[in-house]
Amino acid sequence: MPAPIDLLLSATRTAVRHAARDVASECPETVVLDELLSTAFPRAANPVEPAHTPAVSNFMDVAVRAAATPRERMLASALASASPHLRWTIPYGPGAGADEMVTGYTSTMLSMPGPPPRPCYQAPFANPNVLVAFTLQAPGILYPLHRHKAPEVYYVISGEAEWMRDGETWRRRQPGEWIFHASDQGHAMRTGREPLLALAAWIDHLDCPSPVLEVEDTGAEPTGAESTEAEPDGAEEAA
């Protein structure tokens, strides 16, 4: 029987392949992502040291139950099954400009191309051409404006949230939507009363540095439910 990690990769490929074949899609970059995901995904040289975070402990089950369509439920369920074998991290530590993200935001890598962008990141697969991650954002949390050289494809698995890109106003995004951030295009996300579960993939410039939060440039505050505070659950905080 395939391991949970392999099932998660399979579910990810299925979701992307469906989007790539959608001629009405607002995100044609899914075609590129589909091609990248069709390549071999060798296991990483070093095994993952699993770890969870407050956001996973408090909101993963809620986010998985909120997945509405069969395809989103398949991917969310596969992520939940694989979660104990993944290393969930807190990308931004205290003092980075968004202290609430320490307990309200987390991400985990499914595949990385080589040396991790930060020491705390680990992934079960090593693909030199694509970085695949999953993110979980608690209710009432703002992920401030940030940008990176790597063009990025996002997939909203569950949870309604608002997104903003350079030159655009805040826009509510629904589960099932695909969103593209061009290279160096600033973007931000904020949740309301629901946690946001998403897939994120870098499809080029994978060696670019991690983004720096441009907190003063967003001019926005989180809306909706209050965030939930909790102590870190075995996860390593990244400075």
Side-chain angles (χ1 to χ4, degrees):
M1 177 178 295
I5 294 296
D6 297 309
L7 292 175
L8 177 58
L9 175 59
S10 177
T12 301
R13 283 169 161 162
T14 297
V16 173
R17 186 170 301 117
H18 174 79
R21 294 174 178 175
D22 181 5
V23 295
S25 173
E26 294 184 11
C27 183
E29 291 77 13
T30 54
V31 174
V32 176
L33 180 56
D34 181 42
E35 293 174 353
L36 293 172
L37 289 177
S38 298
T39 61
F41 272 70
R43 291 280 185 171
N46 298 317
V48 171
E49 301 171 9
H52 278 195
T53 64
V56 171
S57 300
N58 294 330
F59 299 105
M60 176 61 79
D61 289 345
V62 176
V64 171
R65 289 196 301 268
T69 70
R71 187 168 296 102
E72 288 146 20
R73 285 196 298 269
M74 177 185 65
L75 184 53
S77 297
L79 177 60
S81 296
S83 184
H85 308 283
L86 298 171
R87 185 169 187 83
W88 291 89
T89 63
I90 301 169
Y92 303 99
D99 289 358
E100 62 194 17
M101 292 181 71
V102 172
T103 55
Y105 182 86
T106 188
S107 64
T108 188
M109 299 289 179
L110 180 63
S111 174
M112 293 188 303
R118 296 187 185 183
C120 61
Y121 286 135
Q122 297 176 6
F125 295 106
N127 186 308
N129 302 309
V130 63
L131 184 152
V132 181
F134 291 90
T135 68
L136 180 60
Q137 189 166 326
I141 296 293
L142 170 68
Y143 190 157
L145 188 72
H146 58 285
R147 66 189 74 236
H148 36 71
K149 188 70 173 177
E152 180 179 60
V153 177
Y154 257 97
Y155 175 44
V156 182
I157 302 172
S158 73
E160 190 177 89
E162 291 184 316
W163 300 64
M164 185 269 288
R165 297 181 293 196
D166 276 346
E168 300 177 4
T169 58
W170 286 95
R171 175 180 172 185
R172 190 167 298 279
R173 298 287 192 167
Q174 307 288 340
E177 285 197 61
W178 291 84
I179 304 150
F180 179 64
H181 303 140
S183 179
D184 287 325
Q185 181 180 38
H187 51 281
M189 299 86 82
R190 62 187 181 189
T191 46
R193 298 186 178 277
E194 301 173 317
L196 171 66
L197 183 62
L199 179 154
W202 285 7
I203 58 177
D204 199 0
H205 296 292
L206 305 185
D207 58 348
C208 74
S210 299
V212 175
L213 301 180
E214 302 173 21
V215 179
E216 295 181 355
D217 294 343
T218 61
E221 294 293 336
T223 59
E226 296 180 357
S227 60
T228 300
E229 294 186 0
E231 292 298 320
D233 182 17
E236 186 177 345
E237 293 181 15

